[in-house]
Amino acid sequence: MVDATKPAKSSASGVQSVERVFELLELITDAGGDVTLSELSASTDLPLPTIHRLLRTLVALGYARQLPNRRYALGPRLIRIGEGAARQFGALARPQLKSLVDQLGESANMAVLDGDMVVYVAQVQSQHSMRMFTEVGRRANVHDTGVGKAILAQLPNDTVRGIVGRTGMATPTEFSIGTVEDLIAELDRIRERGYSIDEQEQEIGVRCYAMAVPDAPTLTAVSVSGPISRVTEEFASRAIPLLRSAAEAISADLAA
């Protein structure tokens, strides 16, 4: 039985608690997936006892975990939520990807930044017998993919250096970018023109054009790709405006 003499908790305090929990989870994510209590305290205005109490609750529920070195990391229960969100995110973008394929005839993809790599969350395949296929859920490096470079171009150069410093810069083809200096120069060109090109950097004979989705809740890019015999400069003149329209439409759908 509710004691009518006691004031009920305000809905505002409940919302504030939720906001604080997600703030901590985002701070852990931004720190690379694990962080110390003191680092969290330095990154937020929350009192240390509040941070500690919220972390204990998250650990008990499996949404965070405490490592042997006393650092706090994201918990395994977030994986299922993340996978479900990615599927829904991909489903939201699918109509725009299908429109790209219908108008351009080549495969269209959407990918998001996940840690230091990109993960593909949606694809609509070309109807050509010779076509590009990227499995949804596949993870790839950021420095040698069209979607990855489009995403990196949204970040400060120091952040870019940190990412490729951790992942390394593999060169799967002779066209792959292999140094940080060359990557930064390429990102400057992408920022200037507004789109990226994977010029046979992942696979010989394949060219990809990609563009970031503006104002997405997580760094996101869409792309079209196909064999270099079909994905030519003439193709690019048609594809770039359509990619821009698709990215803006996805952004608007996310904000609705």
Side-chain angles (χ1 to χ4, degrees):
M1 179 180 296
V2 175
D3 186 349
T5 64
K6 293 183 179 179
K9 287 185 179 179
S10 69
S11 58
S13 66
V15 170
Q16 185 181 60
S17 296
V18 173
E19 289 176 346
R20 288 173 168 177
V21 164
F22 281 104
E23 180 184 355
L24 291 181
L25 290 174
E26 289 182 357
L27 287 171
I28 297 172
T29 301
D30 292 343
D34 66 84
V35 68
T36 66
L37 193 60
S38 60
E39 287 169 344
L40 280 175
S41 180
S43 301
T44 178
D45 294 330
L46 294 177
L48 189 60
T50 299
I51 297 173
H52 195 231
R53 185 179 71 252
L54 292 173
L55 285 173
R56 284 204 314 269
T57 301
L58 287 169
V59 169
L61 294 173
Y63 295 110
R65 57 196 177 97
Q66 190 170 25
L67 305 176
N69 61 5
R70 309 296 292 174
R71 297 176 71 87
Y72 287 91
L74 299 175
R77 290 197 69 179
L78 290 171
I79 296 173
R80 185 169 63 90
I81 294 174
E83 289 175 344
R87 284 194 298 271
Q88 290 300 313
F89 194 18
L92 178 145
R94 190 174 176 81
Q96 296 301 328
L97 299 184
K98 185 177 186 305
S99 178
L100 286 172
V101 174
D102 290 344
Q103 294 178 84
L104 296 169
E106 302 299 340
S107 298
N109 295 283
M110 187 170 77
V112 301
L113 185 66
D114 181 27
D116 290 337
M117 303 186 78
V118 288
V119 59
Y120 290 89
V121 296
Q123 181 187 69
V124 175
Q125 293 182 42
S126 165
Q127 295 303 305
H128 289 291
S129 57
M130 185 171 68
R131 62 194 179 196
M132 301 306 105
F133 174 74
T134 299
E135 184 179 0
V136 171
R138 173 177 170 254
R139 296 170 65 82
N141 286 322
V142 287
H143 71 282
D144 60 3
T145 55
V147 287
K149 291 190 295 182
I151 286 171
L152 286 183
Q154 310 303 302
L155 296 171
N157 287 341
D158 285 347
T159 303
V160 172
R161 290 187 178 94
I163 290 173
V164 298
R166 290 187 292 271
T167 62
M169 298 186 68
T171 52
T173 80
E174 62 185 290
F175 299 100
S176 304
I177 297 174
T179 70
V180 176
E181 292 75 16
D182 287 345
L183 177 61
I184 296 300
E186 173 69 2
L187 295 181
D188 286 340
R189 289 188 286 270
I190 293 168
R191 292 167 184 138
E192 182 176 350
R193 68 184 177 225
Y195 62 91
S196 67
I197 309 171
D198 168 0
E199 188 60 71
Q200 305 184 74
E201 295 163 52
Q202 270 277 300
E203 184 177 348
I204 293 293
V206 176
R207 183 175 289 128
C208 169
Y209 291 92
M211 190 172 295
V213 175
D215 303 317
T218 189
L219 291 169
T220 304
V222 291
S223 68
V224 287
S225 58
I228 58 175
S229 59
R230 296 197 303 258
V231 180
T232 60
E233 288 188 11
E234 185 278 329
F235 175 91
S237 68
R238 294 183 292 117
I240 299 308
L242 293 173
L243 267 175
R244 184 172 292 109
S245 295
E248 291 173 351
I250 293 169
S251 177
D253 288 341
L254 288 168

